[in-house]
Amino acid sequence: MFMASQDLPGRGKRALRAAAVGKESELAEADIAVRAQEVLNSVKQRYVELFLARRSVDVYLANLDVLRQLADISQAKYAAGRISQQDVLKAVVELSRMHDDLIMFDQQADLAAARLNTLLEREPDAPIGQLTVLRERMLTASIEDLQHLAVEHQPELQRMRLDIERTQADLAV
């Protein structure tokens, strides 16, 4: 004997199931918002890394000229017999250290530029032009207002709220 059966949903079950599926959709949208926020934060971090590395190179280049002048002066004083050879070697060793640091900062700048280009979906060796100077901003809102805004607009918290609502909708079904 061959039998077929079908479960008929009870009253209101279709609406509950539709609400549960709607929460799944909202949850997927929240996941996208969370990922977009993560990418934006990564771009900001790489930008700051690149800015700091380039700024460090500029500072070291300015100091390198001063140290080079001090090394030349110490060599002239040594030739005149006014200081010892050890003082000349100290300046030369420090100059060598600064060159090593300069190479390290150049590498950091190149790495930060490659990471930033990768996040922006460009070739890793694509040139990045001048960076705008970072400036300090003053907060005009109170701490309570900022906390309220963070709770209301933080994608991770919105996702968690939606996950709770979805779970409640599944329980209702």
Side-chain angles (χ1 to χ4, degrees):
M1 174 172 255
F2 186 68
M3 282 183 72
S5 67
Q6 177 180 1
D7 290 333
L8 296 174
R11 280 182 187 253
K13 290 293 181 180
R14 270 193 191 149
L16 291 175
R17 286 183 183 158
V21 170
K23 291 299 176 187
E24 285 286 337
S25 172
E26 291 176 18
L27 193 60
E29 289 175 7
D31 286 339
I32 291 170
V34 167
R35 183 65 184 137
Q37 187 68 36
E38 289 172 357
V39 170
L40 181 63
N41 288 339
S42 294
V43 167
K44 288 179 182 179
Q45 289 173 351
R46 299 306 160 247
Y47 184 89
V48 169
E49 285 176 7
L50 179 60
F51 178 80
L52 290 176
R54 284 185 178 178
R55 185 75 178 132
S56 297
V57 167
D58 294 341
V59 169
Y60 264 74
L61 287 175
N63 289 336
L64 198 62
D65 290 336
V66 172
L67 190 57
R68 195 172 288 133
Q69 290 173 358
L70 287 174
D72 292 342
I73 291 170
S74 65
Q75 285 178 351
K77 283 184 178 182
Y78 175 71
R82 294 178 52 203
I83 60 172
S84 67
Q85 186 179 17
Q86 181 181 3
D87 294 329
V88 175
L89 291 177
K90 283 181 184 178
V92 171
V93 167
E94 193 61 36
L95 193 60
S96 174
R97 284 186 189 152
M98 285 196 73
H99 278 290
D100 290 343
D101 290 343
L102 187 60
I103 291 170
M104 180 188 66
F105 285 126
D106 274 336
Q107 289 174 345
Q108 286 178 354
D110 291 342
L111 182 62
R115 287 179 176 168
L116 183 60
N117 280 330
T118 302
L119 284 171
L120 297 175
E121 294 182 2
R122 298 190 293 199
E123 291 295 320
D125 56 348
I128 296 177
Q130 289 286 63
L131 302 177
T132 58
V133 177
L134 302 175
R135 55 183 151 59
E136 187 176 335
R137 295 184 187 174
M138 294 298 295
L139 292 178
T140 57
S142 68
I143 297 295
E144 292 80 22
D145 292 340
L146 293 174
Q147 288 175 341
H148 178 70
L149 284 173
V151 168
E152 290 297 318
H153 299 290
Q154 189 67 22
E156 290 91 356
L157 294 176
Q158 288 178 350
R159 187 201 180 288
M160 288 178 193
R161 269 190 234 107
L162 288 171
D163 195 25
I164 291 169
E165 291 172 8
R166 180 190 53 92
T167 304
Q168 289 172 344
D170 287 343
L171 284 174
V173 170

